[in-house]
Amino acid sequence: MRLLQIDHILVISPMYNQLRLLIEKENLLNQFRFLPEGELSESDLRWADALAAFNLKGDLDYSHLKWVHSLGAGVDRFLYQKPWPENVLLTRTVCSFGQRIAEYCLSYILKDLQFHDEFHARQREKNWQPMTPKMLGEQKVIIYGTGEIGQETAKSLSQFGVEVYGVSLSGKPKEYFKEVLMVDSHFGKLSEVDYLINTMPLTEQTAGFFDERVFEQVNDAGFINVGRGASVNEGALLSALNRKQLRFAVLDVFAVEPLPSEHPLWNHSGVVITPHISAVTTPEEGAACFLDTLRKLEERKPLGNVVDWNKGY
């Protein structure tokens, strides 16, 4: 790890005040400026050696910075369809995202298996009609993306006996997956699985990935998207729901956020919408990961959260 002299740091975030309180408690020698999103200026950037933020303003020049840290797990807002200056180190936040997303996915799978919606509807009708819930250990799940978040989700599900398959660019075996398939060879597995979970980052390769080719192979499965909304062709998703190839879709991310009020996904009976909350960066975790990365940089220790800007994650 090369030595980076970080004296001036900008922190740009909707939660900048909470981050200020947490970071200033550390009594660091670095100088900080804490600003809300939208108030970052060219003069701020000229002052700074480093920047921590969720997003980058498109009309500013970041090339003279030494280090940029994403306060979120994803970095598509920094890299997708944008050039990245080779001399600028890019890191990302690593915290409880994997566990949060695992629990989010597990909650909706259990809701489906335990017939929550059906029993609630029968309760309103005062209709005593038993149904036997299904077991997690009888299910097959395919997770797209086998990185930290995908692997943590696979770990949680496999502990309940779920048969978990993964899909990645390399097809490299990973713990907690029965098998990891390469992107080009996963189609044959789709007709067997009960649930598809997307945890992939948004890159040139994953944009529009879930399209007719994928959904036409699925047989009455549930789809959960906690990756990025632009990975899904929304027209193909709606068609798959209407044709009953997909039994339901749980969507936490969308190509346009907030999801426009006129969008047909809002009113579809087979869709559950949540407002990008499956893996929220808390001020405490965001500050902790940023401070840990800063200390390691200053002490020239190895970093586990460096982004490969060529790959986009």
Side-chain angles (χ1 to χ4, degrees):
M1 176 59 63
R2 72 183 191 273
L3 178 63
L4 295 181
Q5 183 65 40
I6 305 295
D7 297 316
H8 300 147
I9 302 174
L10 284 169
V11 178
I12 312 297
S13 169
M15 55 187 188
Y16 72 100
N17 274 325
Q18 297 100 310
L19 291 171
R20 182 206 305 268
L21 293 173
L22 292 163
I23 291 172
E24 286 183 345
K25 287 197 305 186
E26 301 298 314
N27 295 316
L28 301 173
L29 297 178
N30 317 79
Q31 295 184 50
F32 285 85
R33 287 184 187 175
F34 297 87
L35 297 170
E37 288 186 345
E39 292 191 12
L40 176 62
S41 68
E42 195 70 58
S43 62
D44 292 315
L45 276 176
R46 286 195 298 269
W47 170 85
D49 300 308
L51 169 71
F54 285 105
N55 305 288
L56 298 184
K57 288 179 66 176
D59 57 345
L60 297 177
D61 179 12
Y62 301 88
S63 62
H64 77 282
L65 294 171
K66 299 174 183 177
W67 170 41
V68 172
H69 178 73
S70 169
L71 291 169
V75 291
D76 52 283
R77 293 173 179 173
F78 298 76
L79 297 178
Y80 181 59
Q81 296 184 333
K82 299 174 185 175
W84 186 259
E86 297 185 23
N87 59 305
V88 180
L89 174 69
L90 179 60
T91 59
R92 66 183 184 91
T93 297
V94 176
C95 55
S96 66
F97 295 138
Q99 185 63 32
R100 288 177 182 272
I101 282 180
E103 292 181 11
Y104 177 97
C105 294
L106 180 60
S107 74
Y108 284 101
I109 291 174
L110 283 171
K111 176 176 179 285
D112 183 47
L113 296 177
Q114 294 289 327
F115 301 121
H116 285 193
D117 290 341
E118 291 86 345
F119 286 129
H120 191 218
R122 291 173 187 184
Q123 178 183 340
R124 290 195 300 269
E125 299 166 357
K126 301 180 181 178
N127 179 7
W128 184 281
Q129 185 178 346
M131 297 173 67
T132 302
K134 300 176 184 178
M135 300 289 288
L136 279 167
E138 300 168 350
Q139 310 307 306
K140 294 182 181 180
V141 173
I142 191 164
I143 298 176
Y144 291 81
T146 61
E148 176 208 354
I149 289 173
Q151 195 169 23
E152 189 66 33
T153 304
K155 177 182 177 182
S156 293
L157 293 174
S158 63
Q159 288 173 338
F160 288 99
V162 178
E163 192 171 292
V164 184
Y165 296 87
V167 176
S168 71
L169 288 173
S170 68
K172 180 180 178 181
K174 290 282 189 76
E175 191 177 7
Y176 307 117
F177 293 95
K178 180 172 182 178
E179 183 181 2
V180 177
L181 306 166
M182 294 185 68
V183 170
D184 295 336
S185 61
H186 77 282
F187 291 97
K189 184 62 65 177
L190 288 176
S191 62
E192 303 175 19
V193 300
D194 303 288
Y195 303 95
L196 295 78
I197 300 174
N198 175 38
T199 72
M200 296 188 297
L202 178 61
T203 67
E204 301 289 343
Q205 291 77 26
T206 65
F209 181 91
F210 294 94
D211 57 11
E212 292 87 352
R213 297 176 307 145
V214 173
F215 292 134
E216 70 186 7
Q217 305 297 324
V218 176
N219 181 24
D220 195 36
F223 177 64
I224 301 175
N225 189 14
V226 289
R228 284 294 182 261
S231 294
V232 179
N233 180 317
E234 292 174 349
L237 173 66
L238 285 164
S239 294
L241 287 163
N242 292 334
R243 293 197 302 266
K244 307 301 181 183
Q245 292 165 321
L246 289 178
R247 192 168 67 259
F248 69 87
V250 176
L251 308 174
D252 187 53
V253 288
F254 303 89
V256 177
E257 296 182 3
L259 186 65
S261 59
E262 67 276 9
H263 200 290
L265 286 170
W266 280 113
N267 297 317
H268 198 289
S269 61
V271 174
V272 173
I273 289 172
T274 57
H276 205 144
I277 48 75
S278 60
V280 174
T281 303
T282 65
E284 292 76 14
E285 288 187 311
C289 184
F290 165 77
L291 290 168
D292 179 66
T293 306
L294 175 61
R295 291 189 190 100
K296 287 178 177 175
L297 276 174
E298 293 178 335
E299 296 170 7
R300 300 183 70 177
K301 292 183 177 179
L303 299 176
N305 59 338
V306 175
V307 174
D308 184 335
W309 51 268
N310 280 309
K311 292 182 179 179
Y313 54 90

